[in-house]
Amino acid sequence: MADARPFHWEYRPEPITREIFRVEGGRPLLGIVPISGAKNAALKLLAAAVLTGERCRFENVPEIEDVRVMAETLADLGVLVEHPAPNIYEIASGDVEWLFVPLEAAARMRASFMLLGPLLTRFGRVIISNPGGDRIGRRPVDLHVDAMRALGADIEYRNGYYFATSPGRLRGADVTFPLVSVMGTENAMLAATLASGKTTIRPAAQEPEVDDLIAFLQAMGAAVSRTSPDTIEVEGRRRLRGASHRVVPDRIEAGTFAVAAAVTGGRVTLEGSRPEHLPAFLDVLDRCGVQFATGQDSITIDATTVGPGMFRPCAIETGPYPGLATDLQPPLCVLLTQADGRSTIHETIFEDRLEWMSALRRMGARISIHGGHEATIAGPARLHGAETEIGDLRAGASLILAALAAEGTSTIHGAHHVQRGYENIERKFLDLGARIERLEEGTVSTTS
């Protein structure tokens, strides 16, 4: 491990430089794109590593801003975090010196709250700030807190921080959520691994990233299993061991590049993707008439014959897995601007997720928003280049898709949002033949 690079905490309330994407549209994407490890799995896996003092090794970790922030947060707690090679992290939590997750970390990344369960169950106490993340609607952590209390924790909220303690080991219990919560399920599961007795979690989230976390916990020696689609059971252990794990592919990234191929009239193979993790998304593509073929670990999108302007309109509705992921709704909205007819969107997860569509309208999309949850898209729209601002991670990636499909050049401000969750996104688009560059604000460039 002589070549390993340890992390050191360096709080940056804003990116050092504000950056933009400049995109010249009108070029079909062609080629093969490798799909990175899943952001929504990697962050939880890194948090789970603090359940043991032994070394844990993770492969296929995406090189994204959110992972860097989680690694720095762990290092600030006194956890040994090493990054010996690209996409590989090694973590050893033998001595955690500082059971305090500061506001700075929480403000930059909502997943920092995933440290509540593992730190509390292993060390008996933690102080953790209310989390931040994208502004796409209320995402309260009450479900996480209630789950910890059900397991016997004492938790008080003061001045923006949760003060959590456990008088002894947490106790197994029935954890019942009023609605499906992915992070709530994961936090409860992590806390239960070292609790005394049996814990039953229902309704448990069914996302592939949750099952990826279960697989890692089982490799650590945890007695955790999904006993029915919406039920997870955990028999607490006194200690867990170190383990190695390869992060599952990112289905949201796969969906994003699939739409990019479709709206540009291209042909792209998503290498390393898992078709079985995208049932609702592939169903939407099928209903829209997008031609695709699936392999064991690949999906090929071919829009060279049936392409933009020829897709069928569709009604889509987001929901917990195996329903359509809310993170795939923004890119699909770009696809629906190129359908021949009127499509409808019903967003059931986040009340502010449709706000980004105002930027899409500035590019020529014909969209009517009804309340905070429903929208109508009339297509096909002739998209044109525009200057827009990214408001959140998934909207940012979707504005890039719209710019790739548009005529002319687009300037997209707030590139740092996209860096939070997509590894080398502009490099991947360039390799497919796109004209895209990332520049500092105020930079003038005539090349792409």
Side-chain angles (χ1 to χ4, degrees):
M1 296 303 298
D3 296 330
R5 302 191 299 275
F7 268 90
H8 300 284
W9 176 260
E10 179 187 354
Y11 170 53
R12 295 182 294 164
E14 292 290 340
I16 292 176
T17 57
R18 284 188 58 81
E19 296 178 320
I20 64 171
F21 287 114
R22 183 164 295 166
V23 183
E24 181 183 329
R27 298 169 63 91
L29 301 185
L30 301 168
I32 299 172
V33 60
I35 300 303
S36 299
K39 162 188 176 289
N40 290 334
L43 296 174
K44 300 9 171 349
L45 292 163
L46 294 178
V50 305
L51 288 167
T52 178
E54 298 181 15
R55 184 176 293 267
C56 295
R57 178 182 172 90
F58 301 101
E59 299 179 355
N60 201 36
V61 180
E63 299 288 351
I64 56 176
E65 180 68 8
D66 273 12
V67 165
R68 191 185 70 82
V69 172
M70 178 63 86
E72 289 179 339
T73 303
L74 290 172
D76 194 48
L77 298 175
V79 175
L80 177 63
V81 180
E82 295 177 333
H83 191 17
N87 306 111
I88 295 176
Y89 279 76
E90 296 191 355
I91 295 177
S93 307
D95 294 312
V96 175
E97 304 164 355
W98 187 240
L99 296 168
F100 174 77
V101 181
L103 174 63
E104 293 87 351
R108 297 167 68 193
M109 183 188 59
R110 177 177 170 79
S112 63
F113 209 73
M114 282 302 306
L115 293 169
L116 172 65
L119 289 175
L120 178 61
T121 196
R122 185 172 170 212
F123 299 102
R125 59 189 177 89
V126 63
I127 302 171
I128 189 167
S129 175
N130 231 333
D134 285 333
R135 296 180 180 178
I136 52 176
R138 294 188 305 272
R139 299 198 283 182
V141 295
D142 295 357
L143 301 182
H144 303 235
V145 174
D146 290 345
M148 298 305 123
R149 286 174 173 156
L151 294 169
D154 296 322
I155 301 180
E156 296 182 8
Y157 183 69
R158 302 194 304 269
N159 302 318
Y161 285 88
Y162 290 93
F163 294 75
T165 60
S166 175
R169 287 179 68 191
L170 294 178
R171 303 183 302 274
D174 288 333
V175 177
T176 303
F177 292 114
L179 49 85
V180 177
S181 167
V182 176
M183 283 182 55
T185 295
E186 293 165 329
N187 234 337
M189 185 166 61
L190 295 181
T193 57
L194 296 177
S196 62
K198 179 180 178 180
T199 297
T200 301
I201 303 167
R202 62 167 70 90
Q206 301 178 46
E207 275 70 4
E209 296 80 14
V210 178
D211 285 334
D212 199 43
L213 181 58
I214 290 175
F216 173 62
L217 292 173
Q218 290 171 340
M220 296 177 75
V224 53
S225 61
R226 188 182 293 279
T227 56
S228 69
D230 69 344
T231 303
I232 292 174
E233 295 184 0
V234 185
E235 189 70 41
R237 296 285 189 255
R238 283 199 169 272
R239 62 183 57 84
L240 299 179
R241 59 177 177 266
S244 297
H245 186 79
R246 182 174 178 83
V247 181
V248 72
D250 196 317
R251 60 195 172 100
I252 308 303
E253 183 190 43
T256 302
F257 277 95
V259 171
V263 298
T264 62
R267 188 179 191 277
V268 174
T269 296
L270 316 172
E271 187 177 64
S273 58
R274 299 271 187 89
E276 69 271 20
H277 291 171
L278 289 161
F281 175 78
L282 294 178
D283 176 66
V284 172
L285 294 190
D286 185 55
R287 287 189 284 138
C288 287
V290 177
Q291 296 181 359
F292 64 90
T294 60
Q296 183 175 352
D297 59 354
S298 69
I299 303 171
T300 298
I301 307 295
D302 189 348
T304 55
T305 55
V306 178
M310 304 169 67
F311 303 131
R312 294 188 292 267
C314 189
I316 66 172
E317 178 175 309
T318 61
Y321 194 87
L324 180 66
T326 181
D327 284 349
L328 288 172
Q329 176 258 105
L332 282 173
C333 287
V334 179
L335 175 68
L336 295 177
T337 68
Q338 302 307 301
D340 186 11
R342 188 175 298 272
S343 299
T344 59
I345 298 93
H346 184 199
E347 170 59 52
T348 69
I349 308 298
F350 297 128
E351 71 272 18
D352 296 333
R353 183 122 240 185
L354 302 182
E355 288 185 356
W356 79 281
M357 289 184 176
S358 60
L360 193 55
R361 279 194 292 225
R362 286 196 292 275
M363 301 181 74
R366 292 174 289 168
I367 301 173
S368 300
I369 300 176
H370 319 289
H373 293 276
E374 296 184 352
T376 301
I377 299 177
R382 188 171 180 175
L383 300 179
H384 55 77
E387 187 166 357
T388 60
E389 177 79 28
I390 293 173
D392 68 77
L393 169 61
R394 305 307 175 184
S398 300
L399 287 176
I400 295 175
L401 304 188
L404 291 169
E407 297 179 0
T409 300
S410 297
T411 299
I412 307 172
H413 298 266
H416 64 279
H417 286 290
V418 179
Q419 296 172 47
R420 284 188 44 232
Y422 290 88
E423 180 178 27
N424 297 327
I425 189 169
E426 71 273 16
R427 181 73 260 167
K428 290 182 178 182
F429 277 128
L430 284 168
D431 289 345
L432 295 174
R435 289 185 174 271
I436 178 174
E437 56 186 344
R438 189 170 64 196
L439 306 167
E440 290 185 19
E441 289 276 11
T443 300
V444 178
S445 175
T446 58
T447 61
S448 57

